[in-house]
Amino acid sequence: MPRFRAAHTQVLGVSVDSIHCHANWGVSLGGISFPLLSDFVPKGNMAASYGAYLAAGLLADAGKPLPFIDRVVFSLEKEDIPYWNKFLQGYYDTSGISSDSFDQAINIGAGGEVSLTDSMREQGIELNTAVSTSIFYTGFNMLDPVVGGDSESARKLRLAISIAVDYEEFISIFLNGRGIPAQGVLPPGIFGYVDGRAGINPYVYEYGEHGPRRKSIAVARELLAEAGYPNGIELTCNVGNTDGTWEQDSVAVLKEDAAKAGININMNVMPSAQYWDVWTKAPLSLTSWTHRPLAVMVLGLAYRTGVPWNESSYANPEWDAALTEAESTLDVEKRRVKMEKVEKILQDDAVMVQPFFRSVFTAVRENVVGFEMHPTRYYRFHKVSLA
């Protein structure tokens, strides 16, 4: 409590019981030092406005030992459509939503909001979503004589490419809207992520009335000219489709978008087995990372000077020192501030084409209570029950 008072913060106790229950509860504790609010009539109305009121059915499990269910059965279905149909018929309690079933299951509003179709809701199906912590991006080869290095010319060239690539369009066309453009390497849900205006990449985005907005192609052309290429430039990007055809689709968008700024991307598609022999040789290559619980874990593997998985060959002693300082800081809030510096240096150096995070959509039958999709697709059933 002293820490809250020091931060000029008033603590309030809120429940959906009556004021008489509150009074008795306070007496049973020997008195309490903060006000109690009764969200009794209409019951839970205020808590619901903050998204803090438990949905109907969740309290039915209060007091029961965990886990609530005796067993979980996984069945292997080799094809998406039969699996989806069996889910609709009631054979399965949860199901992912593939591209083939997307239009049947999902509505996307004019503002990008996602909801289930009427036919899904009528069948007692609910939607569970999460932003995946896996990051997908096109990385620059920092040893390449054209796009690499720490010269201001190379940096402006990298920024021009980053601005030109419209991942908003890519997500809309190829992912059915299932994803968000990233402002950096840290996804929502990972410690160190900063939301809102403070978290945008100021080199690639502007912050307007409706949130982040990608800078125009005209800005990309200006940067290209300042980099020394007023008449355009030609580059090569290797593609091995090692993690699915999203790689080739992504480079197709990269090629089309970059051309608008005068940058010609040659797409070098090769068998996946050959890709790993040359993935660090071309100016541009595609990659992905699945984040660990703490940002410092994956950043040390991916970008620290000389580590085996530093595929971009990025080397910046200032960044290495900033990451080491963050890694050695135990205080949570102090480490958060230090992580902001780590993220900013990566943005300053323009190490990658601005990435994106996929969204995970899961359809759940209404009798499944307490199921939440984890950003890293972990299945946690210890608080799940069947109504």
Side-chain angles (χ1 to χ4, degrees):
M1 294 300 290
R3 292 179 63 185
F4 284 110
R5 286 194 288 271
H8 306 288
T9 301
Q10 175 64 62
V11 175
L12 302 173
V14 183
S15 88
V16 295
D17 281 326
S18 70
I19 56 175
H20 308 293
C21 292
H22 280 186
N24 289 332
W25 180 72
V27 170
S28 71
L29 294 178
I32 53 177
S33 59
F34 51 88
L36 296 175
L37 303 183
S38 176
D39 190 15
F40 192 50
V41 180
K43 189 171 184 178
N45 187 59
M46 188 277 290
S49 69
Y50 284 89
Y53 187 55
L54 292 177
L58 289 180
L59 289 177
D61 294 317
K64 295 180 181 178
L66 296 176
F68 298 139
I69 50 180
D70 297 325
R71 63 174 183 163
V72 176
V73 178
F74 288 89
S75 298
L76 177 62
E77 293 281 354
K78 296 183 179 180
E79 297 182 22
D80 288 334
I81 294 178
Y83 173 45
W84 174 252
N85 289 336
K86 288 181 181 179
F87 166 71
L88 295 180
Q89 294 167 19
Y91 288 98
Y92 298 127
D93 294 309
T94 69
S95 172
I97 302 175
S98 68
S99 297
D100 293 324
S101 308
F102 192 83
D103 291 339
Q104 179 187 5
I106 300 297
N107 280 327
I108 297 182
E113 62 276 9
V114 175
S115 63
L116 282 172
T117 59
D118 292 341
S119 63
M120 292 294 104
R121 289 197 297 270
E122 289 169 0
Q123 295 181 64
I125 294 171
E126 299 174 354
L127 179 65
N128 198 293
T129 66
V131 176
S132 170
T133 57
S134 296
I135 185 173
F136 301 86
Y137 63 90
T138 303
F140 296 107
N141 180 358
M142 299 300 283
L143 297 180
D144 185 80
V146 179
V147 303
D150 57 3
S151 70
E152 188 63 11
S153 172
R155 176 178 172 274
K156 287 185 175 181
L157 173 58
R158 296 195 295 268
L159 286 174
I161 297 172
S162 297
I163 292 171
V165 180
D166 189 346
Y167 268 131
E168 288 82 356
E169 180 184 42
F170 174 83
I171 292 168
S172 174
I173 295 174
F174 292 104
L175 300 180
N176 298 111
R178 290 177 290 181
I180 61 171
Q183 298 299 324
V185 295
L186 302 182
I190 294 296
F191 183 85
Y193 172 80
V194 179
D195 198 8
R197 183 188 296 270
I200 72 165
N201 184 336
Y203 300 108
V204 180
Y205 283 85
E206 300 169 327
Y207 201 88
E209 181 180 354
H210 302 292
R213 181 180 62 188
R214 184 176 295 274
K215 292 185 177 182
S216 67
I217 288 293
V219 175
R221 291 197 193 101
E222 290 175 10
L223 286 167
L224 188 64
E226 292 173 7
Y229 307 98
N231 299 318
I233 188 173
E234 187 168 313
L235 299 169
T236 298
C237 183
N238 290 335
V239 181
N241 289 328
T242 58
D243 189 36
T245 57
W246 76 268
E247 298 180 8
Q248 194 165 336
D249 293 338
S250 186
V251 176
V253 172
L254 172 69
K255 178 179 177 67
E256 182 177 342
D257 289 341
K260 300 173 185 175
I263 304 165
N264 183 26
I265 305 292
N266 295 316
M267 182 164 53
N268 181 25
V269 181
M270 62 187 68
S272 58
Q274 297 178 14
Y275 176 76
W276 299 116
D277 294 330
V278 298
W279 68 320
T280 59
K281 303 296 191 299
L284 301 168
S285 290
L286 272 72
T287 193
S288 62
W289 275 95
T290 299
H291 271 278
R292 280 62 172 173
L294 296 178
V296 292
M297 296 177 180
V298 72
L299 296 181
L301 294 171
Y303 305 106
R304 179 174 268 128
T305 302
V307 295
W309 289 97
N310 184 346
E311 56 215 298
S312 65
S313 298
Y314 177 58
N316 183 336
E318 181 188 4
W319 186 86
D320 292 344
L323 180 63
T324 299
E325 188 175 353
E327 289 173 329
S328 60
T329 302
L330 298 180
D331 184 274
V332 172
E333 291 307 318
K334 290 181 179 179
R335 188 167 72 242
R336 187 190 303 275
V337 174
K338 296 180 188 297
M339 284 306 303
E340 292 177 13
K341 179 180 179 181
V342 169
E343 183 87 271
K344 185 179 184 304
I345 295 174
L346 285 179
Q347 292 175 344
D348 291 345
D349 289 346
V351 181
M352 67 193 76
V353 175
Q354 203 63 11
F356 66 92
F357 302 109
R358 290 178 177 172
S359 294
V360 181
F361 288 9
T362 304
V364 183
R365 305 202 71 81
E366 63 181 352
N367 66 312
V368 180
V369 180
F371 177 87
E372 293 182 359
M373 193 65 204
H374 192 273
T376 55
R377 301 193 183 191
Y378 293 154
Y379 286 101
R380 301 178 298 178
F381 294 110
H382 61 293
K383 293 183 179 180
V384 174
S385 62
L386 296 176

